[in-house]
C-alpha cells in the first residue's frame, strides 16, 4: 500500500473552476494545499486516496474558484460614498469629489476607507487588489495590510492641471521623488501588500512623468497604473495638446508595455487597439462606473474588440462614489451582460469570459499570473468558496451560468489567501468587521463636518 502524502488542507467534494489552460470544471472535485501553495487539483476520490490532510474542508454544494482579482479600486474614495449628486457626469463628478473632499483627506480616512473597501470586496471572494493611489502612503499600507489580502498600492500622482482640475497637483520632480521613496522604503511590502507606481493619467500628467514612471516600474519590477480614455473630454484635450488620441500618444512616447495597466478605456479606436495589443498593455474595464457617470460605454465601448485583438482585459469595481459598490460577483455580471446589449449580439459576452476577466486576466494585468489567477499545482493557495445551497443558486444545472447571472456576492462562504483562511463560514478572521464599520462611519461624520456637503436628493428630508 502506497503511503499517503501529507498536506495541510484538502478542500473536498465541490465543483472546482480551475481556469487552467484547459479551462477544466471538475464536479466532485478537490484542491490539495500544502503550506501556502496548491499541491494538486482533481477528482476528490483520487486526491483523498493520495493525500492525508491535517484538515478536510467539506465543500459539498460549494463552488470553488480562484480568488477573484479586483484590478482597480480606491481607498479614500470610500469616505465620500453617496455624497456627490448622482446627476454629475464624469468630469463634474471628478471636480466635485477632488475639490471638495480629497483636499481634506487625512491618514485615518485612507486607512479606514481602505479597510472598508477591502472588507466589502473580500467578502465577495476577492483575494487580490490593485489600488488607484493614496496620499498618506506609509500610514495606509501599514494600516490596510492587516486584513491579510494580496495587493498593490501606490501614490496618487499628477503634475498637470487639466480641465480646471488643479487640486493637489505636484511638480514632476516631487511626483517622481515620492514614488521612488515609496518603492525603496516598502520594496518588500507589508504583509502581502506591495508598492507599485500610480499616475492619475487623463491629461493630468506630463510626458516626462509618463516616461520616467514607466522606467521606474521597469526598474522595480512592478506595474504602472493609470486612468485613461474614460470621457470624450479626455480625447478632445489630448487631440488639442498633442494632435493624438491618449493611447496613441502614450504608445508614441514609449510609455506602454506589459507592466502598464490602464483603467476605463471607453474611448479607444481600432488603431489604438492595435497599439495596445502590440505593446501588450493591460486594460481594466469598470462597467459600473461607465454607466453611472455616463461615459458613453454603450455607444463607444470596444472591450469585445480589444479581447478579440488579444488585449488583456481585466475588471475592477473602481471607487465607492462613482461605482458605489465593491461586490465582484455583481461586477462580473455586468462585464458579461453589457456587451450583449450594446453590440446587439448575445455572444459578445459570456459567463466564461467574465470569469476570466475577474481571475487570470487580472493576474496577468498585475504581472502575477505565475502565482495566482487559476487553481493549478504550484500556484499560491488563493481560493474563494461559494455556497450553492441557496435560493439564488437553484435550480442548479450549470454552475458557471448561475454564478455569473444569478448569484450574489453574499454567497461567498470562505476565502483562503496564501494558504490561510481569511474568511471562514462568512466570518472575517483577520480584522474586526464591526470595528471597521463603526470607524468608517465615525470618519464619515468628521468628513461631513469638514466638507459641509449637504445630502443630495430631490425628496424632502427631515
Amino acid at each position: 500500500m502506497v503511503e499517503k502524502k501529507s498536506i495541510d488542507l484538502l478542500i473536498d467534494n465541490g465543483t472546482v473552476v480551475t481556469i487552467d489552460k484547459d479551462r477544466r470544471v471538475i464536479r466532485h472535485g478537490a484542491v490539495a494545499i500544502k503550506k501556502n501553495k496548491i499541491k494538486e487539483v482533481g477528482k476528490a476520490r483520487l486526491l483523498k486516496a493520495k493525500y492525508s490532510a491535517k484538515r478536510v474542508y467539506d465543500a459539498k454544494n460549494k463552488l470553488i474558484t480562484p480568488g477573484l482579482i479586483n484590478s482597480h479600486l480606491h481607498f479614500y474614495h470610500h469616505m465620500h460614498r453617496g455624497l456627490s449628486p448622482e446627476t454629475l457626469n464624469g468630469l463634474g463628478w471628478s471636480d466635485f469629489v477632488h475639490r471638495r473632499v480629497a483636499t481634506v483627506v487625512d491618514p485615518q480616512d485612507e486607512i479606514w476607507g481602505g479597510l472598508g473597501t477591502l472588507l466589502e470586496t473580500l467578502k465577495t471572494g476577492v483575494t487580490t487588489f490593485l489600488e488607484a493611489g493614496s496620499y498618506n502612503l506609509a500610514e495606509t499600507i501599514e494600516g490596510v495590510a492587516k486584513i491579510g489580502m494580496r495587493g498593490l498600492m501606490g501614490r496618487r500622482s499628477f503634475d498637470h492641471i487639466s480641465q480646471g482640475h488643479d487640486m493637489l497637483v505636484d511638480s514632476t520632480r516631487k511626483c517622481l521623488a515620492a514614488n521612488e521613496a515609496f518603492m525603496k522604503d516598502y520594496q518588500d511590502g507589508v504583509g502581502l501588500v506591495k508598492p507599485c507606481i500610480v499616475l492619475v493619467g487623463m491629461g493630468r500628467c506630463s510626458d516626462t512623468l509618463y516616461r520616467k514612471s514607466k522606467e521606474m516600474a521597469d526598474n522595480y519590477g512592478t506595474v504602472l497604473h493609470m486612468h485613461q480614455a474614460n470621457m470624450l473630454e479626455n480625447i478632445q484635450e489630448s487631440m488639442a495638446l498633442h494632435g493624438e488620441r491618449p493611447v496613441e500618444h502614450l504608445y508614441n512616447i514609449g510609455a506602454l508595455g506589459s507592466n502598464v495597466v490602464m483603467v476605463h478605456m471607453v474611448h479607444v479606436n481600432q488603431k489604438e487597439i492595435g497599439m495596445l495589443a502590440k505593446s501588450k498593455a493591460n486594460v481594466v474595464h469598470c462597467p459600473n462606473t461607465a454607466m453611472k457617470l455616463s461615459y458613453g460605454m454603450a455607444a463607444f465601448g470596444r472591450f469585445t474588440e480589444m479581447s478579440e485583438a488579444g488585449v488583456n482585459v481585466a475588471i475592477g469595481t473602481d471607487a465607492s462614489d462613482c461605482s458605489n459598490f465593491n461586490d465582484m460577483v455583481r461586477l462580473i455580471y455586468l462585464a458579461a451582460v453589457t456587451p450583449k446589449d450594446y453590440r446587439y449580439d448575445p455572444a459578445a459576452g459570456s459567463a466564461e469570459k467574465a470569469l476570466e476577466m475577474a481571475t487570470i486576466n487580472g493576474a496577468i494585468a498585475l504581472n502575477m499570473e505565475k502565482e495566482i489567477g487559476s487553481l493549478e499545482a504550484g500556484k499560491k493557495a488563493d481560493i474563494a468558496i461559494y455556497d450553492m445551497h441557496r435560493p439564488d443558486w437553484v435550480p442548479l444545472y450549470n454552475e458557471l451560468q448561475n454564478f455569473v447571472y444569478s448569484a450574489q456576492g453574499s454567497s461567498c462562504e470562505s476565502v483562503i489567501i496564501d494558504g490561510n483562511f481569511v474568511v471562514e463560514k462568512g466570518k472575517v478572521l483577520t480584522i474586526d468587521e464591526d470595528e471597521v464599520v463603526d470607524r468608517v462611519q465615525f470618519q464619515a461624520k468628521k468628513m461631513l463636518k469638514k466638507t459641509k456637503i449637504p445630502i443630495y436628493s430631490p425628496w424632502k428630508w427631515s
Side-chain angles (χ1 to χ4, degrees), residues 322-341:
C322 60
S323 70
N324 291 66
F325 67 84
N326 295 291
D327 181 339
M328 276 292 284
V329 176
R330 190 174 171 188
L331 185 71
I332 291 169
Y333 167 80
L334 290 176
V337 298
T338 49
K340 293 174 180 288
D341 179 66

Side-chain angles (χ1 to χ4, degrees), residues 290-435:
M291 292 189 292
K292 186 169 183 283
L293 294 185
S294 305
Y295 284 166
M297 178 179 66
F300 301 101
R302 300 175 70 83
F303 297 98
T304 300
E305 289 84 349
M306 289 186 210
S307 295
E308 290 172 348
V311 178
N312 181 57
V313 181
I315 53 175
T317 57
D318 201 13
S320 295
D321 196 32
C322 60
S323 70
N324 291 66
F325 67 84
N326 295 291
D327 181 339
M328 276 292 284
V329 176
R330 190 174 171 188
L331 185 71
I332 291 169
Y333 167 80
L334 290 176
V337 298
T338 49
K340 293 174 180 288
D341 179 66
Y342 64 68
R343 284 288 166 267
Y344 302 100
D345 179 4
S350 72
E352 290 82 2
K353 290 175 185 175
L355 272 171
E356 288 174 341
M357 293 166 79
T359 52
I360 192 62
N361 291 12
I364 293 168
L366 274 60
N367 280 346
M368 294 183 184
E369 70 272 22
K370 292 181 180 179
E371 297 181 277
I372 60 173
S374 61
L375 300 181
E376 300 180 75
K379 285 199 173 185
K380 296 291 177 67
D382 286 13
I383 299 168
I385 302 171
Y386 298 86
D387 182 9
M388 298 188 292
H389 191 68
R390 289 166 45 109
D392 50 325
W393 277 86
V394 294
L396 182 59
Y397 306 110
N398 182 322
E399 289 90 333
L400 299 186
Q401 290 281 310
N402 281 26
F403 180 59
V404 174
Y405 297 119
S406 308
Q408 303 173 58
S410 58
S411 65
C412 181
E413 177 186 273
S414 296
V415 178
I416 297 167
I417 303 175
D418 212 42
N420 298 309
F421 279 92
V422 176
V423 180
E424 186 171 1
K425 306 293 185 182
K427 180 177 175 56
V428 179
L429 305 179
T430 50
I431 58 175
D432 186 328
E433 186 173 348
D434 288 334
E435 181 187 15

Side-chain angles (χ1 to χ4, degrees), residues 209-228:
L209 184 56
Y210 281 128
R211 283 194 295 259
K212 293 289 186 182
S213 297
K214 174 64 167 66
E215 290 174 10
M216 194 181 300
D218 292 343
N219 292 338
Y220 283 97
T222 190
V223 304
L224 170 60
H225 186 36
M226 66 178 84
H227 307 75
Q228 290 294 349

Side-chain angles (χ1 to χ4, degrees), residues 24-59:
R24 293 179 302 155
V25 178
I26 307 169
R27 285 174 166 162
H28 305 294
V31 181
I33 298 168
K34 188 174 180 65
K35 295 184 178 179
N36 69 337
K37 290 188 176 181
I38 296 170
K39 191 75 173 173
E40 190 173 348
V41 180
K43 285 289 188 180
R45 58 180 176 80
L46 298 178
L47 267 61
K48 283 191 287 188
K50 186 175 182 179
Y51 295 103
S52 174
K54 294 177 183 176
R55 178 182 176 184
V56 176
Y57 185 102
D58 183 6

Side-chain angles (χ1 to χ4, degrees), residues 79-80 82-85 96-97 99-105 443-456:
M79 295 312 308
H80 50 81
L83 273 183
S84 62
F96 181 94
V97 297
R99 189 174 300 280
R100 302 189 65 176
V101 182
T103 50
V104 299
V105 164
Q443 292 298 125
K445 290 178 180 178
K446 290 170 61 180
M447 180 73 71
L448 205 58
K449 187 175 181 180
K450 286 188 286 187
T451 61
K452 297 181 173 61
I453 296 174
I455 293 175
Y456 169 79

Side-chain angles (χ1 to χ4, degrees), residues 134-187:
S134 298
Y135 293 108
N136 302 283
L137 292 170
E139 298 95 331
T140 305
I141 193 170
E142 299 280 353
V144 302
K146 62 186 179 183
I147 198 170
M149 295 177 71
R150 195 183 304 279
L152 296 172
M153 64 164 289
R155 181 183 187 272
R156 184 177 172 84
S157 306
F158 60 108
D159 62 348
H160 265 198
I161 296 172
S162 168
Q163 317 251 9
H165 192 110
D166 57 359
M167 301 74 71
L168 301 168
V169 63
D170 288 320
S171 68
T172 309
R173 184 176 180 179
K174 182 176 179 180
C175 290
L176 292 170
N179 285 335
E180 181 100 42
F182 184 51
M183 293 304 305
K184 285 182 176 178
D185 292 345
Y186 288 94
Q187 57 186 314

